[in-house]
Amino acid sequence: MYWRFFFSLFFCTFCVFDVLSPAVCPSVAAADIKESSDGIDSSVTKPLFDEVSKLVKMFYPNAKVSQVGTKIHFEFKAAPQISTRTHLTVIGPKQGGILGDVEVKKGSSTIHEQIQNEYYYQTILLAPYSAHHDCHLQVKLSYPPETSPDFVDRFKGVIKDFDDSLPAAPKVAGQKENSSTDVDVSASSAISTTVSASAAPIIPVLPQASQVFQKPKDTQRKLFFWKAKRGSDVVYLLGTIHAAPSTLYPLPREIESAFDSSRCLLVEVNIEKAKIDPEKIQQLVNTSGKYTAPDKLSKHLSPGTKRVFEAYLSWAGESWAMYEQYKPWYTRELISVPRRGELSKMKKAYGIDLHFLQKAAAQKKPVEDFETVEFQLALDSKLSEDVQDKLLQVTLLELKDTERTMASIFDAWKSGDMEKMEKVAVHESVDNPDLIPFTMALLNNRNVAMAAKIDPFLKTKGSPLFVAVGSAHMVGESGLVNLLKKKGFEVEQVTVVPVEQKAR
């Protein structure tokens, strides 16, 4: 529904994030690293720790920084949380927080550079080695996704260059200066980027704002937009994004021109029309979204979903009492979505549907909708309790990975890549067969119903029609593009043609 967070609106589907590894706590990290028990003079570590402390205080002025011997620890907004992997209580940073430890150890380490994910934050493990001093750093940095990339990059730079900050190594008797046999291995070259079979895989770094939202250059490329023609009938199909950044505009002229020439706009729900009945929605929630006391949510959730939900409550600072009266499908509607990082730039006001609804109003163009808000809300309530339970679990696990999936969404949309969009849209039912009924109800069945209404609208509204619905409704065997082909339409994906090529 349109008042949901843009992610569920965009696809009406959810993907499962596979928690790659257990939380990294001091005991776990220590068990993963082998080093000599020989100590190191704390004076050797002072220049490095001064740099670490200065950097942390620059980005987190209120952080607690403590140094004991050859160890330095810093934290801000760190608190006990439940690990969704081990189900144990671990210390992790909350939203806007940071947590880190750096220790100088004798000898080398068997650990490789890696990133481990634990629900709403991730942990970087580093162990650069200094051949000059025969020592390495044991580094653990945990941070939530909204953390400044500049801080993370600079922190990694200080760590990887730690050999330069150490005092000159004492000369070994008989050693020649600048000997060709000297070993000069810096931390930056010593860190391996290969993950061992037992280690968690490295997670790709998320694109920054300039990459995720950068407007494509005006070159020839496919759009997520189609022209369907059958005789004199023309139907334009635009896959939309229900919430977007302002940098998405202006839209390609091929799309805008097609809209201007159309007789009628067709959308999922015309949210600009004042026909949403709050009383009906409240009645639906009361009858199908709530338990009757003393029944409650915690009695119905599976053990796995309950553990994930408790982890979410711990992270969000919320309680069971806020949700106990609601069934899983409506609880999913109410959970707090963290608008971190680039998600804070996603606005419904910039949604493509709303853009054309407002444009239609300005042009006094007729608008028709395929569905109603009440219909969309009722879809989830009709799912079996087992599916509702699984869907709530998947939704909670997916929240931490929204930004990366969002990058995939925009990349597929901007490049007109149907195959990539389909993979993002429906892979959760492939990974979780229990969610196939959900995919059928929220995509396949609705697509068939929408396609069936095209011909009646052509008869009553005329041609061309401009259809603007969520992008997931366009792809796959049961997508609108394929369904119109089965109805006898010749469907062509529209391509952007640069102005200079048009002028030739």
Side-chain angles (χ1 to χ4, degrees):
M1 282 153 300
Y2 284 84
W3 47 271
R4 288 181 186 174
F5 176 55
F6 92 97
F7 192 67
S8 58
L9 274 171
F10 185 80
F11 286 114
C12 300
T13 58
F14 296 82
C15 68
V16 177
F17 182 83
D18 181 18
V19 180
L20 298 174
S21 61
V24 181
C25 58
S27 60
V28 175
D32 289 339
I33 300 177
K34 298 177 181 179
E35 68 286 309
S36 169
S37 59
D38 295 339
I40 295 178
D41 189 339
S42 60
S43 63
V44 174
T45 66
K46 187 178 185 307
L48 169 66
F49 287 176
D50 285 348
E51 285 294 315
V52 171
S53 178
K54 180 181 177 181
L55 181 62
V56 171
K57 284 294 187 179
M58 179 186 301
F59 284 84
Y60 301 91
N62 296 321
K64 294 180 180 179
V65 181
S66 58
Q67 179 180 344
V68 178
T70 58
K71 302 178 183 179
I72 185 171
H73 171 82
F74 54 89
E75 65 176 72
F76 179 63
K77 290 187 177 180
Q81 301 182 35
I82 299 175
S83 168
T84 55
R85 181 77 172 186
T86 66
H87 315 312
L88 301 176
T89 299
V90 296
I91 303 298
K94 297 177 76 68
Q95 189 170 20
I98 198 74
L99 178 66
D101 289 280
V102 179
E103 182 175 2
V104 180
K105 298 252 184 179
K106 192 70 176 175
S108 61
S109 170
T110 59
I111 197 171
H112 298 284
E113 177 179 358
Q114 58 184 273
I115 297 179
Q116 298 183 333
N117 281 278
E118 177 59 31
Y119 210 58
Y120 285 113
Y121 66 88
Q122 59 187 19
T123 297
I124 293 179
L125 298 181
L126 300 170
Y129 174 70
S130 169
H132 287 153
H133 292 269
D134 187 27
C135 67
H136 72 274
L137 295 183
Q138 178 178 308
V139 182
K140 180 171 83 276
L141 176 69
S142 301
Y143 59 93
E146 76 273 6
T147 302
S148 167
D150 186 34
F151 170 77
V152 177
D153 290 343
R154 293 173 70 171
F155 178 84
K156 292 172 69 175
V158 169
I159 295 302
K160 291 182 178 182
D161 294 337
F162 91 101
D163 200 25
D164 295 336
S165 68
L166 297 179
K171 289 185 179 181
V172 178
Q175 184 179 24
K176 297 180 181 180
E177 290 191 26
N178 301 322
S179 172
S180 59
T181 60
D182 284 352
V183 180
D184 186 9
V185 183
S186 67
S188 58
S189 62
I191 298 179
S192 170
T193 56
T194 304
V195 180
S196 65
S198 61
I202 295 177
I203 307 301
V205 177
L206 292 177
Q208 301 306 313
S210 59
Q211 296 172 300
V212 176
F213 299 126
Q214 185 176 16
K215 202 160 179 56
K217 294 181 179 180
D218 195 17
T219 56
Q220 187 163 328
R221 60 187 173 84
K222 290 182 178 180
L223 298 174
F224 217 78
F225 181 56
W226 294 262
K227 180 180 181 180
K229 187 174 182 180
R230 186 185 59 191
S232 60
D233 291 334
V234 174
V235 179
Y236 293 107
L237 300 172
L238 175 64
T240 66
I241 302 173
H242 299 318
S246 59
T247 51
L248 189 67
Y249 299 91
L251 295 175
R253 55 192 169 277
E254 286 80 1
I255 297 175
E256 296 286 8
S257 297
F259 175 81
D260 293 339
S261 68
S262 298
R263 302 287 296 275
C264 180
L265 170 64
L266 303 180
V267 294
E268 291 176 48
V269 175
N270 185 358
I271 57 176
E272 289 289 272
K273 294 171 66 175
K275 64 176 185 178
I276 299 176
D277 189 339
E279 292 185 3
K280 286 185 178 181
I281 294 180
Q282 187 59 52
Q283 183 180 7
L284 176 61
V285 172
N286 291 336
T287 56
S288 63
K290 289 184 177 181
Y291 291 109
T292 301
D295 203 5
K296 55 185 180 180
L297 176 67
S298 57
K299 292 183 177 180
H300 292 265
L301 296 183
S302 65
T305 300
K306 184 178 290 187
R307 284 193 294 268
V308 174
F309 192 59
E310 287 174 343
Y312 163 77
L313 293 176
S314 174
W315 176 87
E318 298 176 352
S319 66
W320 276 101
M322 298 171 62
Y323 300 96
E324 285 284 36
Q325 64 177 316
Y326 300 112
K327 294 183 178 180
W329 75 268
Y330 195 68
T331 298
R332 172 174 155 266
E333 303 287 351
L334 298 175
I335 58 176
S336 300
V337 178
R339 286 182 171 271
R340 59 191 181 234
E342 299 308 318
L343 295 188
S344 63
K345 299 178 182 179
M346 305 300 294
K347 307 292 184 182
K348 293 178 183 177
Y350 301 131
I352 296 176
D353 311 70
L354 185 57
H355 168 74
F356 285 109
L357 283 170
Q358 294 173 339
K359 191 171 182 179
Q363 295 181 4
K364 301 188 184 304
K365 191 187 297 290
V367 177
E368 296 291 340
D369 40 18
F370 289 109
E371 302 166 339
T372 65
V373 171
E374 292 83 0
F375 167 79
Q376 291 188 346
L377 186 63
L379 286 172
D380 286 2
S381 67
K382 294 177 181 178
L383 296 172
S384 69
E385 188 168 274
D386 288 344
V387 174
Q388 290 184 38
D389 176 273
K390 185 64 175 180
L391 192 56
L392 176 60
Q393 181 183 134
V394 169
T395 300
L396 289 167
L397 288 173
E398 187 184 72
L399 291 182
K400 70 179 297 302
D401 205 37
T402 302
E403 193 162 350
R404 187 186 315 177
T405 305
M406 178 187 67
S408 296
I409 290 171
F410 274 86
D411 182 60
W413 190 87
K414 290 183 294 186
S415 60
D417 192 333
M418 293 183 72
E419 183 178 351
K420 184 173 183 177
M421 188 71 77
E422 183 180 7
K423 287 181 180 179
V424 182
V426 302
H427 78 273
E428 83 297 330
S429 60
V430 175
D431 297 336
N432 298 273
D434 292 342
L435 292 184
I436 290 178
F438 172 69
T439 302
M440 291 294 295
L442 270 77
L443 280 179
N444 300 20
N445 297 346
R446 292 171 65 200
N447 293 346
V448 171
M450 289 180 190
K453 295 179 180 180
I454 296 294
D455 282 329
F457 279 131
L458 282 169
K459 291 180 180 179
T460 58
K461 300 299 179 181
S463 173
L465 293 178
F466 192 93
V467 177
V469 296
S471 293
H473 292 290
M474 298 296 172
V475 300
E477 182 67 22
S478 62
L480 288 179
V481 170
N482 194 54
L483 291 178
L484 286 194
K485 289 180 181 179
K486 292 181 178 180
K487 285 181 171 291
F489 284 87
E490 293 183 4
V491 185
E492 176 187 4
Q493 190 166 9
V494 179
T495 301
V496 166
V497 180
V499 175
E500 58 271 17
Q501 291 187 22
K502 287 185 174 183
R504 293 174 184 175

